[in-house]
């Protein structure tokens, strides 16, 4: 049984930093592209970042490029999202998810097959 558990969210002031972590069980992350998405109230679930199954490539949404960094620890089977220079518009529930390579665009949440429960990040101005 696959399980993804996000942690590390909370309340932070604008300009601050937060590190999210996603612990994965029942699946080896080095066989999957691993993505982070976020969803604000009343909004669609938006792509934030992805790290490919090989660990050699990362992609970011334009809105977070240069501020967020995705990384993984294959030994621990975890994926992290370091979020710096946070803005109020970064406020959302953040989700990690697994994407089978070759199953479709990893920018699109519809092609991810397992999700965590999400962790709230609130950035105050």
């Amino acid at each position: 049984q696959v399980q993804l558990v996000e942690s590390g969210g909370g309340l932070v002031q604008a300009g601050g930093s937060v590190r999210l972590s996603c612990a994965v069980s029942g699946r080896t992350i080095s066989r999957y592209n691993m993505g982070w998405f976020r969803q604000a109230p009343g909004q669609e679930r938006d792509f934030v970042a992805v790290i490919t199954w090989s660990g050699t490539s990362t992609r970011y949404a334009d809105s977070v490029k240069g501020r967020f960094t995705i990384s993984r620890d294959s030994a621990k089977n975890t994926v992290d999202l370091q979020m710096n220079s946070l803005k109020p518009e970064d406020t959302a529930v953040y989700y990690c998810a697994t994407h089978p390579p070759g199953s479709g665009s990893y920018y699109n949440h519809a092609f991810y097959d397992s999700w965590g429960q999400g962790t709230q990040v609130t950035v105050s101005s």
Side-chain angles (χ1 to χ4, degrees):
Q1 183 179 354
V2 180
Q3 189 173 21
L4 291 79
V5 179
E6 300 96 338
S7 60
L11 176 64
V12 62
Q13 288 189 333
S17 297
V18 166
R19 188 175 185 90
L20 305 183
S21 187
C22 174
V24 182
S25 58
R27 185 165 285 183
T28 302
I29 64 171
S30 59
R31 297 179 180 177
Y32 292 84
N33 302 317
M34 296 298 301
W36 283 94
F37 285 76
R38 66 186 181 185
Q39 189 167 20
Q43 302 295 315
E44 295 287 321
R45 189 166 294 191
D46 291 331
F47 169 80
V48 175
V50 65
I51 185 166
T52 58
W53 64 271
S54 63
T56 59
S57 183
T58 57
R59 296 288 187 269
Y60 298 92
D62 287 344
S63 59
V64 308
K65 204 171 293 183
R67 300 188 296 121
F68 290 11
T69 303
I70 188 171
S71 61
R72 73 177 193 187
D73 186 328
S74 295
K76 295 181 180 179
N77 222 40
T78 57
V79 180
D80 288 355
L81 185 69
Q82 177 66 43
M83 306 161 61
N84 299 328
S85 302
L86 283 162
K87 305 175 182 180
E89 52 264 41
D90 294 319
T91 295
V93 177
Y94 284 73
Y95 299 89
C96 67
T98 59
H99 176 277
S103 65
S105 171
Y106 49 54
Y107 295 106
N108 187 335
H109 64 83
F111 295 111
Y112 285 73
D113 63 353
S114 293
W115 293 83
Q117 81 289 349
T119 186
Q120 176 73 45
V121 174
T122 302
V123 184
S124 63
S125 57

